[in-house]
Amino acid sequence: MEKDGFSWWIRRIRRAQDLYDEFRIDHFRGFAGYWAVPSEARVAMVGRWKVGPGKSLFDAISRVIGKINIIAEDLGVITEDVVQLRKSIGAPGMAVLQFGFGSDADNPHLPHNHEHNQVVYPGTHDNDTVLKHLKITEEDDISWALIEAVLSSVARTAIIPMQDLLGLGNSARMNIPATQVILLQNE
């Protein structure tokens, strides 16, 4: 990709900027480093870590497009190189309130650890709804308590999934990662 000046990424980012004011790049950690698995491998355990394109990719994009407004999806096991890359390009990271509980006070998803340059959610499209995640009934008001916590965060942006605004349960879940549903069409 670097050999051709990251042209695929530049075209992709330019198109996204045509459509959206700001957009999220999933799996941002892959720009700092990624787990590479040979195509012939039967299991991912035979892979190895490789260095990602890093800041050179974002410098190339900036030279051609100018400033881009992205949200860096930096969830999961995030190493210091990922944090530094995100900060070096000025992209906000993410905090998900559902991930904040059941750990210690240093958990970055807890409201008192949020940062200004961050986007905070009660849960994402990959999570159960707040009601299902907390194993509570629709009569409880905890969904609104989490929504209020998100809206009270120091983070510059809050995103509330519609299913949490509506107080819906698991039937309203948007996505289950690593699964697919095959819809059969009646002919």
Side-chain angles (χ1 to χ4, degrees), residues 2 25 40 45 55 72 74 78 95 98 111-112 115 121 128-129 132 136 140 151 157 181:
E2 191 167 8
I25 296 182
E40 67 278 358
M45 292 186 309
K55 193 159 183 314
D74 57 351
I78 300 302
Q98 286 184 17
H112 64 271
E115 301 172 5
Y121 306 72
D128 263 325
T129 65
K132 175 65 176 171
I136 57 177
D140 294 316
L151 294 173
T157 304
V181 176

Side-chain angles (χ1 to χ4, degrees), residues 101-179:
F101 304 101
S103 185
D104 62 21
D106 293 332
N107 186 309
H109 298 280
L110 288 171
H112 64 271
N113 293 320
H114 292 172
E115 301 172 5
H116 175 72
N117 195 25
Q118 208 167 29
V119 179
V120 64
Y121 306 72
T124 73
H125 66 286
D126 285 335
N127 298 87
D128 263 325
T129 65
V130 168
L131 287 181
K132 175 65 176 171
H133 178 76
L134 297 175
K135 298 177 178 74
I136 57 177
T137 66
E138 292 179 23
E139 290 78 42
D140 294 316
D141 261 352
I142 194 71
S143 288
W144 280 104
L146 262 64
I147 290 169
E148 287 173 6
V150 164
L151 294 173
S152 299
S153 172
V154 298
R156 72 175 177 97
T157 304
I159 296 179
I160 315 296
M162 186 58 74
Q163 62 268 33
D164 290 331
L165 280 172
L166 297 174
L168 301 175
N170 191 46
S171 64
R173 183 172 182 164
M174 294 172 74
N175 184 44
I176 299 173
T179 63

Side-chain angles (χ1 to χ4, degrees), residues 27-39 41-53 77 79 81-82:
H27 309 287
F28 182 82
R29 81 116 29 257
F31 295 115
Y34 58 94
W35 186 252
V37 179
S39 60
R42 293 171 141 304
V43 294
M45 292 186 309
V46 299
R48 64 186 176 94
W49 282 104
K50 291 188 172 184
V51 174
V77 179
T79 52
D81 58 334
V82 179

